[in-house]
Structure formats: C-alpha cells, structure tokens
Amino acid sequence: QKEVEQDPGPLSVPEGAIVSLNCTYSNSAFQYFMWYRQYSRKGPELLMYTYSSGNKEDGRFTAQVDKSSKYISLFIRDSQPSDSATYLCAASGGYQKVTFGIGTKLQVIP
Amino acid sequence: DSGVTQTPKHLITATGQRVTLRCSPRSGDLSVYWYQQSLDQGLQFLIQYYNGEERAKGNILERFSAQQFPDLHSELNLSSLELGDSALYFCASSPLRDRKETQYFGPGTRLLVL
C-alpha cells in the first residue's frame, strides 16, 4: 500500500464547475500537506501547503485536511480551461521526505 | 518560472551508457532534491543535498550518484543505464534544511534510454 493514494483520473468537468480532488494517506506522522499542479511537460508547481488539520484558501483554491480520517482535499471553484493539468497531493512529516500521490489528471472543458 | 534551472531538457542515450544531469537551485536556496517521475511510479524522491552535504536518501539506485558543488549547483550521474531508467528527472530546491514542505521544481530533464 502506498503512503499517499490518489486516483489518477482522468477527471473531466465543464468550465465553471467546482472541482474536488482527493487523496488519502496512511502515515500518522505526516503533518504537512501540499498540492502541486503540473502542466504537461513541465515541473510541478507548489499551489498550497497546510499544516495539520483545517482549511486554507487562496483565491479559487481551497485545501482541506482531515487528520482524523487521513483525507486531503483540494477544491477549485469556477474552474477554467487553464486549470487543466495534473494535480499532485503530497505529505511530509516535516523532517522526512515528501511523499507524493501519483497525480490526478484534470481536464476543464470550455 | 520557479527559478530552478535544469540542463539538458532532453537526453537520448543507449543502454549501458552514463549521463550527467545538471541543476541550478533558486538564488539563496541551500537544499537541492532530485526526483524521478515515471508514469507508473509517479514522483519518487531520490536524494537531497544541503549546502554541499548529502542530507537524505530515498529510492536511489547504486548506479546513480549525485553531488552538490560549492556554488550550490548539483549534478545527478546515472550510469550503466537500463531501459527502465527512461523517465523525467526533476530537481527541486528549498531554503530549508530539514523542513521539506516548500520545494520549487525545475522544468525537468526527459531521459530516453534506447
């Protein structure tokens, strides 16, 4: 079992939809949770990171962590075609290596 | 643009050969990380250097080695290449030594072993 599990998709949504991307993790030592966006043939770009449980909002993006259920979510409001990319969740114990999910490929259709 | 640069962008080579991938971190970042990304395995951590010294090791094969130079650029050496080494190799940098939650990735080197 991988420490961070993520459905690879693909996920197709119409423009303007609310997108929900999710991951689960198994390592209780994880305290930092990250979301990266990766466009085709580019490097991952850090979108957001959160510490412990709770929500963090940045523009159209909201990251949510529920440590009790070991569940990580990213919500994208008013999705745009430019949001089409692969979204990688990641987790770390801070002082440990970052463990990435395999990534969910998202396509936002105009 | 993350500020991390990697060369070359593409590399095509044959089995058994050796290649060197180069990374320049963001200005001021002392930590450099190397990752391998393949379709079936996702992004796998290989190794971290901090200010010239090896800091952490992940799933790095013995055929692979890395180093970080005094000017903080880093090189990843891959030898006795096999078909299965074909992948995207990313370098990331961070200002932190131990806390790893903020890493900035370069554009990657696409390696194809024929």
Side-chain angles (χ1 to χ4, degrees):
Chain A
Q1 183 193 7
K2 292 187 177 181
E3 284 189 299
V4 177
E5 297 275 4
Q6 185 175 13
D7 186 337
L11 177 64
S12 290
V13 301
E15 183 177 352
I18 296 175
V19 176
S20 172
L21 301 167
N22 307 293
C23 293
T24 58
Y25 66 93
S26 57
N27 189 336
S28 299
F30 287 157
Q31 298 180 66
Y32 295 90
F33 304 92
M34 290 74 76
W35 283 96
Y36 284 83
R37 177 175 62 195
Q38 185 174 19
Y39 290 113
S40 181
R41 297 181 176 274
K42 301 286 186 185
E45 170 196 8
L46 179 64
L47 270 180
M48 302 178 73
Y49 81 89
T50 54
Y51 173 71
S52 195
S53 282
N55 292 0
K56 188 171 184 179
E57 191 173 318
D58 184 2
R60 297 185 294 111
F61 298 87
T62 300
Q64 217 171 60
V65 176
D66 182 345
K67 290 192 76 179
S68 63
S69 59
K70 296 189 175 67
Y71 205 76
I72 314 165
S73 300
L74 178 71
F75 298 96
I76 308 174
R77 291 183 299 281
D78 187 25
S79 56
Q80 303 295 310
S82 58
D83 295 327
S84 297
T86 297
Y87 289 81
L88 301 153
C89 62
S92 167
Y95 293 85
Q96 302 166 12
K97 69 180 179 72
V98 176
T99 301
F100 287 82
I102 199 152
T104 299
K105 189 168 183 178
L106 170 68
Q107 186 178 18
V108 180
I109 301 166
Chain B
D1 184 356
S2 66
V4 178
T5 60
Q6 287 186 250
T7 57
K9 285 186 180 178
H10 304 278
L11 204 45
I12 302 174
T13 188
T15 54
Q17 295 298 305
R18 173 189 167 96
V19 297
T20 298
L21 313 183
R22 184 188 166 104
C23 167
S24 292
R26 294 187 324 157
S27 177
D29 284 358
L30 299 179
S31 272
V32 169
Y33 305 80
W34 285 99
Y35 290 87
Q36 180 191 59
Q37 188 178 41
S38 60
L39 280 174
D40 56 342
Q41 292 291 321
L43 204 56
Q44 300 286 315
F45 168 68
L46 296 177
I47 197 164
Q48 177 201 359
Y49 278 82
Y50 178 80
N51 203 20
E53 294 191 1
E54 184 182 304
R55 186 69 191 161
K57 229 170 184 176
N59 305 324
I60 188 165
L61 300 171
E62 284 192 14
R63 300 183 285 109
F64 296 1
S65 65
Q67 58 185 138
Q68 186 179 29
F69 295 86
D71 67 353
L72 301 178
H73 91 271
S74 179
E75 291 181 357
L76 179 67
N77 300 296
L78 315 176
S79 61
S80 302
L81 285 167
E82 301 175 359
L83 296 178
D85 297 327
S86 296
L88 270 168
Y89 290 85
F90 288 105
C91 165
S93 76
S94 165
L96 305 170
R97 182 183 69 179
D98 293 318
R99 291 258 305 275
K100 298 171 173 56
E101 67 272 18
T102 51
Q103 296 182 26
Y104 298 90
F105 283 78
T109 293
R110 187 175 293 271
L111 173 66
L112 181 59
V113 182
L114 299 175

